[in-house]
Amino acid sequence: MGIFGIAKRGFGKAVKSYKQKKIAAGKSTRSERIKYGERSPDIKSVKPTKKSLSESKEAGYSHHYIKNIDEINKHKAAIQKGEKAIESGKKGIKKMKATKRAYTIGSYSAPSDPRKGPKNWDK
């Protein structure tokens, strides 16, 4: 029994609900959010794959390679369009080269294949 003969039972629930309201209002500290915040037991937004590890990796590589191809084709089409589009197309290819998503041999620009890694031909 606590002070004045009142039992302390149930006070934990009151504290938890108070902290929950504080979290919802956005006025809690990080430690309060960790201690009193609700946590979901499983990640529900990402479903487990039905493919094997090698199939899953291959699907990811293929997806990113196709994205690289589509983007470089978009920039090449912009270069063929006209004056202002030429600058944006060249700038786009330059950004792709900077992030190793494309490479250039002479005047030919090509998308890089994620399976083989970045090319170091354009130094």
Side-chain angles (χ1 to χ4, degrees):
M1 290 229 161
I3 304 174
F4 308 116
I6 301 172
K8 291 184 182 178
R9 294 182 61 148
F11 189 66
K13 286 186 178 182
V15 169
K16 186 171 182 179
S17 70
Y18 167 74
K19 297 291 184 178
Q20 290 286 322
K21 287 178 187 172
K22 194 173 178 184
I23 290 169
K27 297 179 180 179
S28 62
T29 63
R30 182 176 185 273
S31 60
E32 287 172 334
R33 287 192 301 273
I34 291 170
K35 188 173 180 183
Y36 297 104
E38 293 295 320
R39 297 287 185 273
S40 178
D42 294 322
I43 298 172
K44 293 178 177 59
S45 61
V46 180
K47 303 295 180 208
T49 182
K50 293 182 176 133
K51 299 177 182 178
S52 70
L53 179 62
S54 59
E55 289 172 332
S56 183
K57 283 171 60 174
E58 182 61 33
Y61 288 143
S62 298
H63 171 75
H64 286 285
Y65 188 40
I66 289 169
K67 278 179 65 173
N68 291 348
I69 291 170
D70 290 343
E71 188 169 344
I72 204 151
N73 286 341
K74 178 181 79 173
H75 294 309
K76 284 183 178 182
I79 289 172
Q80 290 178 348
K81 259 188 195 171
E83 303 243 346
K84 285 193 174 187
I86 289 175
E87 291 303 315
S88 68
K90 285 183 179 179
K91 191 182 282 186
I93 290 175
K94 188 175 178 182
K95 284 182 184 177
M96 285 184 73
K97 285 171 49 180
T99 57
K100 307 284 188 203
R101 292 180 61 201
Y103 61 94
T104 303
I105 304 173
S107 62
Y108 176 72
S109 297
S112 33
D113 189 352
R115 293 175 197 92
K116 298 176 183 171
K119 307 280 190 227
N120 291 323
W121 292 331
D122 41 34
K123 288 188 176 180

